[in-house]
């Protein structure tokens, strides 16, 4: 099948598919006599794994590692689970950081009268070494 068909089946753009091929992330497709790429069902499966891994927070490099594991019949599910638990810990840390940022911004917003005067506790806090 051609790249347009693979794009439709995988939900990824042709440009993205070519990028993944150039980076060696997916299996290189066969080439026809006129040098066109000829994709197979396994390419769609590879692309869907990458796409879904990225959707749940894995980086492209991590998704590529998961793709390698998916094609290894000797893989240990413990390796996949370990990567997943590491990603969960990273996401939890990001959530904690975002919650702290939100808490700080809420506190600053509460202190600001939001009127037509130039005094702004938010800007003062951002300018101060002790403001945050």
């Amino acid at each position: 099948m051609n790249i347009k068909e693979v794009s439709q089946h995988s939900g990824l753009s042709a440009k993205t598919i070519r990028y993944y091929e150039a980076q060696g992330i997916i299996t290189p497709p066969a080439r026809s006599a006129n040098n066109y790429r000829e994709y197979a069902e396994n390419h769609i499966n590879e692309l869907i794994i990458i796409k879904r891994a990225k959707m749940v927070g894995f980086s492209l490099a991590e998704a590529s590692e998961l793709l390698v594991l998916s094609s290894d019949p000797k893989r240990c599910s413990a390796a996949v689970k370990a990567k997943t638990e590491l990603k969960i810990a990273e996401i939890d840390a990001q959530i904690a950081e975002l919650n702290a940022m939100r808490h700080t911004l809420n506190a600053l917003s509460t202190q600001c009268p939001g009127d037509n005067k130039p005094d702004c506790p938010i800007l003062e806090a951002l300018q101060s070494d002790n403001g945050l």
Side-chain angles (χ1 to χ4, degrees), residues 53-65:
K54 290 188 68 185
M55 286 174 60
V56 296
F58 288 103
S59 69
L60 183 55
E62 293 164 335
S64 179
E65 291 171 7

Side-chain angles (χ1 to χ4, degrees), residues 112-120:
C112 183
D115 55 21
N116 293 330
K117 296 179 182 174
D119 295 332
C120 181

